[in-house]
Amino acid sequence: MLEGILMGLNTAISPGNLLMVIGGCLIGTFIGMLPGLGPMSIIAIMIPVAISIGDPSAALILLAGVYYGAIFGGSTSSILINAPGVASTVATSFDGYPLARQGKAGKALTVAAIASFCGGTIGAVLLMIFAPSLASVALLFHSAEYFALMVVGLSAIAAFAGSGNVGKALLMTLLGLILSTVGEGALFNAPRFTMGILDLQSGIGFITLAMAMFALPEAMYLVLDPRRSDNDGGGEIKDLRITRAEARSIAPVIGRQSIQGFLIGVLPGAGATIASFLGYAVERNIAPKAEQEEFGKGSLKGLAAPESANNAAATGSFVPLLTLGIPGSGTTAILLGALIALNVTPGPRLLVDEPQIFWSVIISMYIGNVVLLVLNLPLIPYIAKVLAVPRTFLIPFILFFTLMGAYIGQNNATELLMLVGFGICATILRFANYPLAPLLIGFILGQMLEDNFSRSMQLEGGIGFILERPMTMGLLAFAVLLVVLPAWRSRRQRAGEMPEGD
């Protein structure tokens, strides 16, 4: 391994490859800040550029830099304007945006940058140490285990519900699952629930729904409730630094979620989105009662957890890509296509046949995370000033990026009509105090849940696969624990608060 590290270091620190790291991180960061243009789109655009470079190591270093740069920068729009254009930064907006509305946008961006840096760096260390052995663990996961993993993700909905809103959160999750069934399923080509609209055959776009659930209602909320923008301190830039006490409180969160996020990222098909949701849910469930109440209202732990988890997962997703040749997400599927176009065959033989590619990518991730931190931290005071823009300009700004993101995501004008329709519904639900995050979670996980369940039923010959696979049963038991534990804790606390003799 030491020989491989030295080989990778020698390749990664060459002037040309250092430029690739810096260029990839810059492009990824600025693209990540724009709602609607996620890493998948920009990597697809960058493939011809990467192929023209000729050197596979340099090309992959560039594309990898764009990937984790976009994940790193994606938190900015989630925190500042509540417009998560990438699925893995949806959970970031739950506490990042409330912090911004409290006049703590600078602090929120600082925490996000530090958590992202630590998650990416810890992920790179784990990737270097455990990549070969983790590849064999990833092979143990089949459709049944992925189905159970999706159930674990859905069982965490209580973490995204406010006090007394678990029933509403469950209804919104079911609505999200229903919306995920629109369009053609993976096993059957027949369209479902499209009402004869051809544009719905490919399903509802994630970007459209994400913008409709978060960004559009925010703009309408600012119009309908002007006091929200005047009294929350959103225009005042202060608290750019975090205190020692705050650093001590988020350090264990970052450590735990970096490891958990990396392990989830290793699993093909899981990825940064699942990691960020589970990271947020786990931290909320293990937090003391007083701190649990802060989640969703501006908790630094609630911001640090998904940011460290999604960046670590982005790094972890390179384990199945490089060692097995299995893409773990849509973005890594595009990276796989780029590797094949560069005449590089990822898989178990990559470490033996072309070790310089494997190790140079890993070492470039260390360098890339430092570059991202150096690029982002000095810019935070200037980025945070977006919130100092007067409301009369901020609302059109949010609407422009919302509409642009939805249109670019599908390149279809019908998406704009759907965006407005869903946005109006989301605004009404928001005024009725229904949590919108569970709907998006149900939508994101719904299709993967259905696909893996159907595949397991076909392969195992019925629902008996749940009892026949110990790992599946273990994951489902963990899902039950995630549901039961918060309810048991709250019941026990209520019993402790009752006066004696009642």
Side-chain angles (χ1 to χ4, degrees), residues 424-437:
I424 292 169
C425 294
T427 306
I428 294 168
L429 288 168
R430 185 166 169 176
F431 273 109
N433 202 28
Y434 277 81
L436 299 175

Side-chain angles (χ1 to χ4, degrees), residues 31-383:
I31 292 300
M33 289 180 184
L34 299 174
L37 276 175
M40 196 183 302
S41 305
I42 190 60
I43 287 175
I45 294 167
M46 292 292 291
I47 284 178
V49 177
I51 293 172
S52 67
I53 293 168
D55 180 9
S57 297
L60 194 55
I61 285 170
L62 173 67
L63 294 175
V66 172
Y67 178 32
Y68 54 78
I71 299 292
F72 196 107
S75 60
T76 304
S77 59
S78 295
I79 291 169
L80 294 184
I81 59 173
N82 203 25
V86 184
S88 57
T89 61
V90 169
T92 303
S93 66
F94 299 157
D95 284 284
Y97 187 70
L99 279 167
R101 298 310 310 164
Q102 294 165 21
K104 299 176 182 176
K107 180 173 286 191
L109 290 168
T110 302
V111 170
I114 292 170
S116 299
F117 169 75
C118 294
T121 304
I122 292 170
V125 173
L126 296 173
L127 178 61
M128 180 181 69
I129 298 170
F130 298 114
S133 54
L134 283 172
S136 57
V137 174
L139 286 174
L140 297 175
F141 270 68
H142 299 288
S143 297
E145 284 74 31
Y146 285 119
F147 158 71
L149 193 63
M150 299 307 119
V151 175
V152 170
L154 288 171
S155 67
I157 58 163
F160 305 95
S163 179
N165 280 346
V166 176
K168 289 181 176 180
L170 182 61
L171 285 173
M172 296 300 283
T173 306
L174 290 173
L175 181 57
L177 289 170
I178 290 167
L179 291 175
S180 72
T181 63
V182 175
E184 296 179 355
L187 298 178
F188 306 101
N189 291 327
R192 308 171 298 178
F193 314 121
T194 60
M195 298 171 288
I197 302 171
L198 289 175
D199 291 326
L200 284 177
Q201 280 196 210
S202 58
I204 298 166
F206 159 75
I207 296 294
T208 303
L209 197 62
M211 295 296 180
M213 290 298 108
F214 292 96
L216 198 60
E218 186 58 39
M220 296 174 79
Y221 215 78
L222 289 171
V223 173
L224 297 170
D225 186 11
R227 292 171 301 172
R228 177 179 172 81
S229 60
D230 294 335
N231 296 338
D232 285 40
E236 189 179 349
I237 310 303
K238 58 184 180 180
D239 293 333
L240 296 177
R241 296 180 181 179
I242 57 173
T243 64
R244 287 186 180 181
E246 289 167 341
R248 282 196 296 269
S249 71
I250 64 172
V253 175
I254 291 172
R256 282 192 297 267
Q257 293 315 315
S258 295
I259 296 170
Q260 178 180 294
F262 176 79
L263 294 174
I264 292 171
V266 165
L267 305 175
T273 304
I274 302 287
S276 63
F277 286 144
L278 282 182
Y280 186 91
V282 167
E283 290 303 327
R284 184 186 183 279
N285 287 336
I286 67 174
K289 178 68 176 175
E291 291 185 5
Q292 279 189 13
E293 297 298 324
E294 294 177 14
F295 276 69
K297 299 174 183 176
S299 166
L300 291 182
K301 288 185 176 181
L303 174 59
E307 274 302 291
S308 47
N310 63 23
N311 280 269
T315 306
S317 65
F318 280 84
V319 172
L321 176 68
L322 296 176
T323 59
L324 299 173
I326 300 172
S329 63
T331 308
T332 49
I334 295 172
L335 284 171
L336 177 63
L339 281 171
I340 293 168
L342 290 161
N343 295 319
V344 176
T345 305
R349 295 287 306 174
L350 183 66
L351 263 170
V352 179
D353 296 339
E354 298 184 85
Q356 75 281 359
I357 294 176
F358 180 83
W359 290 109
S360 65
V361 170
I362 293 175
I363 298 300
S364 76
M365 288 179 180
Y366 286 102
I367 301 168
N369 277 290
V370 174
V371 169
L372 286 168
L373 194 66
V374 171
L375 283 174
N376 281 270
L377 281 180
L379 294 175
I380 283 172
Y382 306 101
I383 295 170

